Amino acid sequence: MHFFFRTLWQGLLARFRSPLGLWDTASTPFRVLPTDLDVLRHMNNGVYLSILDIARLDLMLRSRTWPQLKERGWYPVVVSETISFRRSLQLWQRFTVETRTLGFDDRAVYMEQRFVVGGEVYARAYIKARFLKRSGGIVPMDELRALAGLAPGESAPGQLESSRMPAWLLEWGRDAQLPSTKTPAPSRWEGE
């Protein structure tokens, strides 16, 4: 329930923040609340991922992408994400989540998000997301690219990656991908 209200609050605040383009960096301010803490009294690692969702929504609202997605009946889903931590966030500490779109591959969009305090990066995450249709199915990448426009450094709409997306991220996106068909869970873990 706590994240529902936090999402509503940030959605309301987005209306008063400066407009952005989809390829701009959104800076979304937050504060560590008591409900964000784990037993060690710092922000729980799972809370970071929930806050990343809210910060991505801030970028989509401020870039006017969210209303266009809703109009088309499209919605994003996270396919893969990875996060690295440097320092812990403490109770009542203010921080900013910086969110930017990096680019596309042939199936998904990639984003980078950073937790920043006083210019110092406390944590960094990379997100791979796909867009689905409420009517069923996946949004074709050419339609999504047409909505997004060219990425900085991209010379043509058919280009698979922009200059701002590291090559390792595409490899990670492929390696972290699960099979697209139903497969039974193996009785043993890989490598056993």
Side-chain angles (χ1 to χ4, degrees):
M1 190 59 97
H2 154 252
F3 282 102
F4 174 75
F5 290 114
R6 199 175 218 171
T7 303
L8 287 178
W9 177 246
Q10 287 291 343
L12 177 66
L13 292 177
R15 296 175 185 215
F16 301 101
R17 294 186 181 126
S18 58
L20 298 170
L22 184 60
W23 297 100
D24 293 333
T25 299
S27 293
T28 312
F30 292 91
R31 182 186 289 256
V32 180
L33 302 176
T35 52
D36 297 335
L37 302 181
D38 62 17
V39 295
L40 299 175
R41 295 184 308 210
H42 58 230
M43 195 158 88
N44 179 283
N45 60 326
V47 172
Y48 283 81
L49 301 179
S50 295
I51 286 175
L52 292 177
D53 285 343
I54 297 169
R56 287 192 301 276
L57 180 61
D58 181 53
L59 173 61
M60 289 187 286
L61 288 168
R62 292 169 64 192
S63 66
R64 301 291 302 147
T65 305
W66 189 251
Q68 295 177 61
L69 292 172
K70 285 178 63 174
E71 181 181 297
R72 289 169 171 82
W74 300 352
Y75 61 97
V77 293
V78 171
V79 179
S80 300
E81 57 192 328
T82 185
I83 187 166
S84 299
F85 302 95
R86 255 191 91 250
R87 295 191 64 177
S88 297
L89 289 167
Q90 306 297 324
L91 182 62
W92 305 122
Q93 190 169 19
R94 293 179 184 271
F95 62 96
T96 301
V97 175
E98 296 175 349
T99 303
R100 70 181 188 143
T101 307
L102 295 176
F104 299 92
D105 66 12
D106 58 342
R107 301 183 67 182
V109 61
Y110 292 80
M111 303 183 88
E112 177 183 12
Q113 295 185 274
R114 307 182 317 174
F115 290 79
V116 179
V117 177
E120 183 181 354
V121 177
Y122 275 44
R124 182 177 59 199
Y126 291 95
I127 314 301
K128 177 182 176 184
R130 301 207 55 194
F131 284 78
L132 304 179
K133 296 179 179 181
R134 295 227 178 265
S135 60
I138 298 166
V139 175
M141 287 309 293
D142 59 338
E143 292 180 35
L144 190 58
R145 285 175 153 284
L147 175 67
L150 291 178
E154 206 173 28
S155 58
Q159 188 177 327
L160 282 183
E161 57 190 90
S162 78
S163 60
R164 67 197 286 174
M165 190 157 59
W168 71 263
L169 192 57
L170 289 171
E171 187 175 330
W172 166 80
R174 286 187 297 271
D175 290 347
Q177 185 172 305
L178 290 173
S180 58
T181 59
K182 284 186 179 180
T183 55
S187 59
R188 299 176 62 88
W189 293 95
E190 278 185 42
E192 284 188 347

